[in-house]
């Protein structure tokens, strides 16, 4: 393609990737062992298992402690990402619209499946001794007025997550209005976000202990039915993700581009193996950008769509959030009403943005959504921790596939795709050169050392904006 932006992807540091892999593998295995031990203790010594319940409750309390700063930082950064993507015109606007529609659709699918299979039925996850007293609004007027905090900072010390969400949205839009003057503040928020997620990462190292206590307690109370219910949730989640990829994404991809979803997945097979090994779609981000450029999508479309999608197009995470919420509500014997489910869906749409690729962000968003609409259900997150690792691969693979499909769709809608090259690449006539991260492009610029999704996105936006500025100058004779 002749159209370029000067934007290129960073080199993948294999030593750093191996270290991350080793850390993930250790934690992953530890959680599996903890879940198995907890189930054994709960089945063999029910009374002892129930005695370990405070371990799970304490772990959830640590997660709850981080909800307010996580929601604030992710929303402010997410709103800033919307502003940056909107500056690139048709590509960014179309991508954002598509991502919002698809993530909402994925959340709705999770709710529909959850209401059909009723995951968590028959469990006894209630823990009256650790419930907190909450004053719920009885009218719409009280609910709306309750979103407004008494002071700007009181939102961060209270129990209402919706107040934090309200303050975060005001801050994000205010920073948008400040333009370049707000850039230092936005950078400060990003640095705060790194600190917050660093703390969350430290807390997640206690996940094996929390998972052991929660699983031992629920199995001790319910018996083998608890293991059966957890298994049903995992199987249902994976089936839902598979159906979403093959039916929803596959149909949309074929209707718009005439590309078979299975052919695309075969082309991305190595990336899928990398994702399964790390349980994170971010590990395959550089390779996805390279392969989308190699397949024939223009650099501007790839440079804007892929990084933006990693923040806004998390289909697998969306399905997980709603199904896990319904599982917890049913398992604690307090199912959500349709109104509460819709409110939770709206909250998840907003709160899930801006935390791309961050370990534990999905768990924190789940806890935040429950804290906002049903604080009495947050303690149930401890049980989800036990199986969260088993479902992380499904989330990551679905997110990754959704972003690959989105890139081809946006490229087709904006007419910045070489259809003949797509056919030749997928048929094997033009194989991807695995010896070079940037494929067969001999004219690629040196790679900037960007280290995260947000950095990639900003590099793409800057390059695209500079190109548009040069085009305007040429048009004006400058």
């Amino acid at each position: 393609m002749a159209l370029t932006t000067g934007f290129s992807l960073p080199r993948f540091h294999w030593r750093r990737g191996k270290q991350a892999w080793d850390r993930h593998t250790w934690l992953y295995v530890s959680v599996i062992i903890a879940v198995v031990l907890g189930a054994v203790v709960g089945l063999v010594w029910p009374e002892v298992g129930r005695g370990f319940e405070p371990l799970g409750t304490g772990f959830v309390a640590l997660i709850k402690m981080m909800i307010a700063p996580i929601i604030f930082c992710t929303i402010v950064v997410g709103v800033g990402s919307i502003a940056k993507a909107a500056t690139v015109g048709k590509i960014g606007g179309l991508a954002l619209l598509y991502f919002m529609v698809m993530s909402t659709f994925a959340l709705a699918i999770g709710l529909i499946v959850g209401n059909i299979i009723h995951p968590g039925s028959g469990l006894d996850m209630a823990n009256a001794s650790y419930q907190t007293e909450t004053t719920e609004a009885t009218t719409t007027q009280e609910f709306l007025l309750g979103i407004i905090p008494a002071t700007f900072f009181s939102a961060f010390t209270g129990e209402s997550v919706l107040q934090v969400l309200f303050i975060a949205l005001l801050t994000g839009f205010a920073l948008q209005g400040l333009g370049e003057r707000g850039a230092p503040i936005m950078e400060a928020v990003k640095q705060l976000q790194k600190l917050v997620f660093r703390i969350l990462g430290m807390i997640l190292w206690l996940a094996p202990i929390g998972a052991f206590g929660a699983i031992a307690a629920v199995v001790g109370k319910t018996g083998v039915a608890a293991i059966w219910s957890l298994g049903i949730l995992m199987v249902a989640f994976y089936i839902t993700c598979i159906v979403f990829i093959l039916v929803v994404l596959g149909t949309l991809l074929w209707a718009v581009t005439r590309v078979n979803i299975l052919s695309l997945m075969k082309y991305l097979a190595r990336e899928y193996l990398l994702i399964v090994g790390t349980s994170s779609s971010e590990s395959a981000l550089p390779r996805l950008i390279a392969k989308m450029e190699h397949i024939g999508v223009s650099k501007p479309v790839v440079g804007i769509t892929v990084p933006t999608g990693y923040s806004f197009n998390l289909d697998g995470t969306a399905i997980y959030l709603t199904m896990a919420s319904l599982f917890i509500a049913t398992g604690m014997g307090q199912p959500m009403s349709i109104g509460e489910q819709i409110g939770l869906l709206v909250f998840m749409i907003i709160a899930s943005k801006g935390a791309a690729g961050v370990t534990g962000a999905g768990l924190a968003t789940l806890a935040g959504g429950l804290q906002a609409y049903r604080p009495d259900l947050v303690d149930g997150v401890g049980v989800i921790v036990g199986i969260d690792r088993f479902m992380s691969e499904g989330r990551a693979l679905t997110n990754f596939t959704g972003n690959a499909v989105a890139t081809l769709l946006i490229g087709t809608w904006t007419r910045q795709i070489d259809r003949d090259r797509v056919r030749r690449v997928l048929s094997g006539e033009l194989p991807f050169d695995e010896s070079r991260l940037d494929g067969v492009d001999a004219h690629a610029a040196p790679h900037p050392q960007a280290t995260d999704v947000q950095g990639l996105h900003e590099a793409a936006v800057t390059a695209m904006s500079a190109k548009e500025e040069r085009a305007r100058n040429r048009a004006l004779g400058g």
Side-chain angles (χ1 to χ4, degrees):
M1 302 297 291
L3 185 60
T4 62
T5 64
F7 164 75
S8 58
L9 54 137
R11 294 191 184 280
F12 183 74
H13 296 280
W14 290 104
R15 180 175 298 178
R16 187 184 305 166
K18 183 180 184 301
Q19 292 173 350
W21 186 314
D22 291 341
R23 290 195 299 270
H24 163 77
T25 302
W26 189 92
L27 185 58
Y28 190 95
V29 173
S30 298
V31 171
I32 293 176
I33 294 174
V35 169
V36 173
L37 289 178
V40 170
V41 170
L43 288 173
V44 180
W45 303 287
E47 289 295 330
V48 175
R50 289 194 287 270
F52 283 115
E53 190 168 36
L55 294 179
T57 304
F59 178 77
V60 173
L62 290 172
I63 296 292
K64 289 170 63 177
M65 176 182 72
M66 302 303 298
I67 289 176
I70 287 173
I71 294 298
F72 177 79
C73 292
T74 53
I75 294 301
V76 173
V77 173
V79 171
S81 298
I82 293 176
K84 290 182 175 63
T87 64
V88 299
K90 185 177 181 179
I91 296 175
L94 187 60
L96 284 174
L97 177 62
Y98 170 80
F99 293 153
M100 295 301 292
V101 171
M102 288 306 294
S103 60
T104 302
F105 188 69
L107 285 166
I109 287 178
L111 285 180
I112 293 172
V113 174
N115 280 285
I116 292 175
I117 67 173
H118 297 292
S121 298
L123 289 183
D124 182 9
M125 293 163 54
N127 180 14
S129 62
Y130 288 93
Q131 297 298 322
T132 56
E133 294 294 329
T134 58
T135 303
E136 297 186 4
T138 57
T139 66
T140 302
Q141 177 179 321
E142 289 182 5
F143 174 78
L144 294 176
L145 292 177
I147 296 177
I148 304 174
T151 67
F152 186 93
F153 295 102
S154 65
F156 300 95
T157 59
E159 293 287 334
S160 175
V161 176
L162 290 179
Q163 291 184 356
V164 178
L165 180 65
F166 177 71
I167 291 297
L169 287 172
L170 287 180
T171 303
F173 288 121
L175 288 175
Q176 279 191 23
L178 288 174
E180 289 300 320
R181 292 176 297 168
I185 303 176
M186 178 63 77
E187 182 60 29
V189 175
K190 291 178 183 178
Q191 295 303 318
L192 176 61
Q193 184 186 43
K194 291 180 181 179
L195 173 63
V196 167
F197 278 113
R198 175 63 177 171
I199 296 173
L200 179 62
M202 294 166 62
I203 292 173
L204 289 177
W205 280 101
L206 299 176
I209 298 175
F212 171 79
I215 295 297
V218 72
V219 173
K221 291 180 180 179
T222 312
V224 73
I227 300 174
W228 177 253
S229 294
L230 291 170
I232 289 177
L233 174 62
M234 288 189 290
V235 171
F237 170 72
Y238 272 96
I239 292 176
T240 303
C241 288
I242 292 172
V243 171
F244 181 82
I245 291 173
L246 297 181
V247 177
V248 178
L249 294 180
T251 300
L252 186 59
L253 181 64
W254 177 259
V256 176
T257 68
R258 288 296 185 266
V259 171
N260 187 293
I261 186 71
L262 295 178
S263 298
L264 178 63
M265 294 175 72
K266 180 181 178 181
Y267 172 64
L268 299 171
R270 286 177 179 255
E271 287 66 46
Y272 285 127
L273 291 176
L274 180 60
I275 291 171
V276 169
T278 61
S279 289
S280 171
S281 59
E282 188 184 17
S283 61
L285 171 61
R287 293 181 60 86
L288 178 60
I289 295 178
K291 282 201 165 183
M292 288 296 100
E293 290 180 358
H294 174 71
I295 203 173
V297 183
S298 70
K299 286 181 179 290
V301 172
V302 175
I304 296 299
T305 304
V306 174
T308 304
Y310 265 66
S311 287
F312 290 90
N313 192 38
L314 308 177
D315 300 328
T317 302
I319 295 172
Y320 163 80
L321 288 173
T322 46
M323 290 187 68
S325 298
L326 293 182
F327 172 84
I328 293 173
T330 304
M332 296 190 74
Q334 303 177 54
M336 290 186 173
S337 65
I338 296 298
E340 289 172 333
Q341 292 180 31
I342 294 175
L344 182 68
L345 184 147
V346 174
F347 177 90
M348 295 300 188
I349 290 173
I350 300 173
S352 61
K353 306 300 182 278
V358 181
T359 302
L363 196 63
T365 302
L366 172 63
L370 294 176
Q371 181 70 26
Y373 285 90
R374 290 290 299 275
D376 54 314
L377 301 179
V378 180
D379 284 338
V381 173
V383 176
I384 290 294
V385 172
I387 61 172
D388 178 78
R389 294 281 166 174
F390 297 101
M391 297 191 287
S392 59
E393 287 87 356
R395 295 198 302 267
L397 291 172
T398 306
N399 293 342
F400 179 82
T401 305
N403 287 318
V405 170
T407 305
L408 290 175
L409 294 177
I410 301 300
T412 301
W413 285 330
T414 58
R415 298 182 180 179
Q416 298 190 46
I417 187 173
D418 187 336
R419 289 178 176 270
D420 181 64
R421 184 178 177 87
V422 172
R423 179 190 61 78
R424 295 173 65 193
V425 169
L426 293 183
S427 66
E429 293 181 34
L430 294 174
F432 181 78
D433 184 0
E434 293 292 345
S435 66
R436 296 185 59 190
L437 184 60
D438 56 351
V440 296
D441 184 2
H443 303 289
H447 293 166
Q449 296 300 315
T451 58
D452 55 24
V453 174
Q454 189 68 24
L456 283 168
H457 178 268
E458 291 177 353
V461 171
T462 300
M464 189 64 179
S465 299
K467 179 182 181 299
E468 291 178 342
E469 182 66 26
R470 290 195 298 269
R472 282 194 295 267
N473 290 339
R474 286 195 298 270
L476 293 173

